[in-house]
Amino acid sequence: MFALCDCTLAFFYKIPFLFSFTNIEEYHKRLGEGKITCVEATVYYLEKIAETKHLNAFVEVYRSESLERAKYLDEKRNRYETVGKLHGVIIAIKDVICYKDHKVTAASGILENFISVFNSTVIAELLKEDAIIIGNCNCDEFAMGSTNENSIYGRTLNALDETKVPGGSSGGSAVAVQAGLCMVSLGSDTGGSVRQPADFCGITGIKPSYGVISRHGLIAYASSFDQIGIFSNNIEDAAKVLEVINGSDIYDSTVSQQKQRAFPLSYKTGKSRTHKYRIALLKNAVEHDSLDKEIKKNIYDLTNSLKKDGHEINEIDFNLIDFIVPAYYVLTTAEASSNLSRYDGVRYGYRHEDNCIDLSSFYKKTRSKGFGKEVKRRIMLGTFVLSEGYYDAYFTKAQQIRRLLVNQTKEIFKKHDALILPTVPTTAFKTGSMQKDPIAMYLADIYTVYANLTGTPAISLPLFKHTNGMPFGLQVIANNYDELTLLEFSHMLMNNYKTY
Ligand code: GLN
């Protein structure tokens, strides 16, 4: 019944031309008042996705399935049954999150046409709370990259300026929210892959503390860094989705044993309007040579305004800044070389059948053809840093840096509620500009990898606009497991200090 072509969908369902989405709470209100239905909202988004196909944000759109689900949810609501916390909320997911009976490929040739046989925990939780999964989104292969250009599906375009990248690796999920193709989306963040594209696209992107959200069913890149994150248009929606997907999980031993937490933002009671925060500013980060002058100025202007309004700002020396990118790339490539060894052509996806005289040539040919250039570069780098004779010089050293960072961060949060720094040193790169220089691309991760090395929760807030026309964000980090302070402080900043 739902096998209609895109152009007839709107007509068939008589969708209101004025449908617009502000936040989940408002959407729920309109559903309750009968001003809109889940089917109408779904049709609206399906139409928009079809109109913006050239952005290449989606790998697959679950058209008929999401309409069927929307219809089921409308009926459920009309029967006055209890509805879920994300009733009818339209969500897109990154192509690294397993959804039973749906294709999941990590944008890699090696998982071509691979169908997931189970639901990741996040998907199970979203569905339990009545969400509608509308499709899965493009990304860099195995979440390795900063531009969304390393994908078998081709690049995703930044909807604000199509000559620029949307960032990566969760570029498709970011554009899905930026271009209004869903209400919220999920990405994954190992070294900035949610915060950096959020910065480039002018939206909100949060990476919770390591261990807050189960990684069960998230295709691994670097297991001690990976964390699922949320893209949204506002802080309230991020808090709502986080409430549903956090919590302990028997399928992930690295996830916190804490029960599912709620994040009631106290702006409703007025606390966050009057509360004075103690804020740390990483001096060496804002003074770093790689930082665009205008981004630097905007951050100093913001700290001056915060000071004037009675918040405490302390500039902190952070001498480890130049060690964090090397430490991140040593540790993550080491973990990746181990995680990705499972793609051998026997158990998953692509297998090379021709001219394989023995098992070793079968492995070699499968992996050489199946993986893209950047993934192969990282597997080789990771294998090298783990190899005998080099292990102590690279892997152990990087672990030591990680420990120093964790200790220093603990000290900072003894005296502060939040830490602020840029999200990225520049605004969105020109398409293709980073392809020939992987080192330059790695160095641009200077501000985001810190939170993954320390496991702290971090968010990018779209507070600023550059004179080159592109948006850029402020990154806020809070103490481990203190997502509530992170969200409240962010909400206060978004309400009072947005500059455009
Ligand atoms: N740009 C970083 C990298 O390429 C971030 C990746 C991520 O967070 N998944 O490793």
Side-chain angles (χ1 to χ4, degrees):
M1 134 160 215
F2 289 112
L4 296 165
C5 78
D6 298 324
C7 52
T8 59
L9 278 175
F11 177 74
F12 188 78
Y13 287 104
K14 292 197 219 69
I15 64 155
F17 289 107
L18 289 178
F19 177 81
S20 65
F21 175 74
T22 43
N23 59 47
I24 296 173
E25 190 175 341
E26 168 76 13
Y27 170 60
H28 278 167
K29 199 165 150 250
R30 283 194 288 157
L31 281 176
E33 291 167 354
K35 292 194 176 139
I36 180 104
T37 65
C38 296
V39 167
E40 286 168 339
T42 307
V43 170
Y44 169 82
Y45 283 107
L46 289 174
E47 293 255 305
K48 268 203 109 178
I49 293 171
E51 276 164 25
T52 53
K53 220 172 163 184
H54 69 286
L55 296 175
N56 203 17
F58 281 83
V59 169
E60 211 176 340
V61 180
Y62 314 139
R63 265 168 227 288
S64 41
E65 184 189 319
S66 51
L67 279 168
E68 293 280 6
R69 182 154 171 86
K71 190 167 173 270
Y72 155 79
L73 292 170
D74 282 335
E75 285 164 4
K76 179 175 174 180
R77 197 176 60 258
N78 291 337
R79 285 196 303 268
Y80 299 103
E81 278 178 35
T82 315
V83 296
K85 289 179 189 149
L86 296 178
H87 183 76
V89 173
I90 293 166
I91 302 182
I93 55 170
K94 182 176 179 178
D95 186 29
V96 288
I97 295 175
C98 293
Y99 185 8
K100 191 172 190 294
D101 299 330
H102 294 75
K103 205 164 89 168
V104 58
T105 68
S108 179
I110 208 137
L111 279 173
E112 207 177 351
N113 297 323
F114 179 75
I115 307 284
S116 178
V117 292
F118 69 102
N119 271 335
S120 54
T121 300
V122 284
I123 292 288
E125 296 293 337
L126 292 176
L127 294 177
K128 211 160 76 191
E129 295 296 341
D130 284 359
I132 299 171
I133 315 287
I134 198 161
N136 69 344
C137 291
N138 204 350
C139 58
D140 283 301
E141 186 179 0
F142 283 99
M144 297 175 187
S146 305
T147 60
N148 212 128
E149 292 173 304
N150 313 325
S151 162
I152 37 156
Y153 305 108
R155 52 174 66 122
T156 298
L157 308 182
N158 190 317
L160 281 174
D161 178 346
E162 295 179 9
T163 68
K164 306 250 165 76
V165 303
S169 63
S170 318
S173 302
V175 172
V177 169
Q178 178 199 39
L181 313 179
C182 61
M183 295 174 182
V184 287
S185 66
L186 295 187
S188 65
D189 189 314
T190 305
S193 282
V194 167
R195 289 159 289 149
Q196 187 255 24
D199 174 289
F200 282 7
C201 291
I203 57 170
T204 297
I206 181 170
K207 173 204 89 77
S209 313
Y210 182 80
V212 159
I213 299 174
S214 167
R215 291 181 297 111
H216 174 64
L218 168 69
I219 293 181
Y221 158 15
S223 310
S224 77
F225 292 75
D226 296 341
Q227 188 61 197
I228 287 172
I230 305 158
F231 292 100
S232 62
N233 293 294
N234 56 65
I235 306 297
E236 300 92 309
D237 289 355
K240 276 211 162 67
V241 175
L242 185 58
E243 176 179 336
V244 167
I245 61 177
N246 84 91
S248 63
D249 182 13
I250 50 161
Y251 297 116
D252 180 358
S253 61
T254 62
V255 87
S256 150
Q257 289 309 303
Q258 278 189 9
K259 284 228 164 56
Q260 212 163 41
R261 285 180 289 158
F263 302 97
L265 297 181
S266 62
Y267 67 92
K268 290 194 169 159
T269 59
K271 182 196 152 206
S272 68
R273 270 197 304 255
T274 51
H275 187 76
K276 299 298 173 209
Y277 287 90
R278 296 166 306 159
I279 305 155
L281 177 71
L282 294 188
K283 203 161 141 227
N284 313 54
V286 214
E287 291 297 331
H288 201 268
D289 289 343
S290 64
L291 183 62
D292 175 282
K293 299 284 167 286
E294 209 176 310
I295 298 183
K296 175 173 163 178
K297 180 178 178 308
N298 272 275
I299 291 189
Y300 277 127
D301 287 350
L302 171 75
T303 54
N304 288 335
S305 309
L306 284 164
K307 252 189 243 169
K308 245 192 250 145
D309 295 342
H311 301 281
E312 182 185 319
I313 305 273
N314 295 313
E315 292 194 7
I316 306 268
D317 281 331
F318 187 65
N319 302 324
L320 290 169
I321 184 114
D322 286 319
F323 295 96
I324 59 180
V325 170
Y328 167 82
Y329 276 96
V330 166
L331 295 172
T332 53
T333 55
E335 292 187 26
S337 75
S338 160
N339 272 327
L340 272 59
S341 64
R342 76 191 71 181
Y343 305 105
D344 54 8
V346 178
R347 289 168 287 183
Y348 306 94
Y350 174 76
R351 58 160 61 211
H352 191 88
E353 309 270 8
D354 298 340
N355 298 323
C356 294
I357 40 167
D358 55 20
L359 193 57
S360 129
S361 78
F362 166 75
Y363 285 156
K364 264 191 210 154
K365 285 183 176 151
T366 297
R367 287 169 65 85
S368 300
K369 276 211 107 171
F371 288 129
K373 198 167 159 193
E374 182 60 27
V375 173
K376 282 190 267 198
R377 181 185 289 132
R378 295 195 192 198
I379 292 174
M380 286 190 277
L381 196 59
T383 310
F384 173 75
V385 300
L386 287 176
S387 58
E388 203 184 338
Y390 293 102
Y391 187 93
D392 282 340
Y394 295 104
F395 191 77
T396 309
K397 266 277 167 279
Q399 291 277 46
Q400 287 166 343
I401 292 168
R402 192 174 200 183
R403 170 51 55 198
L404 286 175
L405 280 170
V406 169
N407 293 347
Q408 196 166 336
T409 307
K410 274 192 187 141
E411 287 306 311
I412 295 176
F413 284 113
K414 277 185 188 159
K415 296 193 194 109
H416 298 92
D417 306 303
L419 192 160
I420 58 177
L421 71 168
T423 308
V424 194
T426 63
T427 53
F429 321 130
K430 268 260 178 257
T431 299
S433 64
M434 287 288 176
Q435 286 302 81
K436 291 216 166 65
D437 190 352
I439 302 284
M441 193 177 77
Y442 298 167
L443 288 173
D445 292 335
I446 182 163
Y447 301 125
T448 46
V449 296
Y450 172 60
N452 305 81
L453 280 157
T454 54
T456 43
I459 193 166
S460 181
L461 304 171
L463 292 180
F464 310 111
K465 196 166 191 171
H466 200 277
T467 47
N468 67 14
M470 295 308 283
F472 62 94
L474 175 81
Q475 188 180 187
V476 183
I477 301 181
N479 202 3
N480 257 302
Y481 292 99
D482 198 359
E483 274 71 20
L484 188 56
T485 299
L486 182 71
L487 290 164
E488 284 196 319
F489 180 54
S490 299
H491 191 266
M492 190 279 288
L493 289 174
M494 290 286 283
N495 274 352
N496 302 311
Y497 299 94
K498 198 168 159 84
T499 60
Y500 70 99

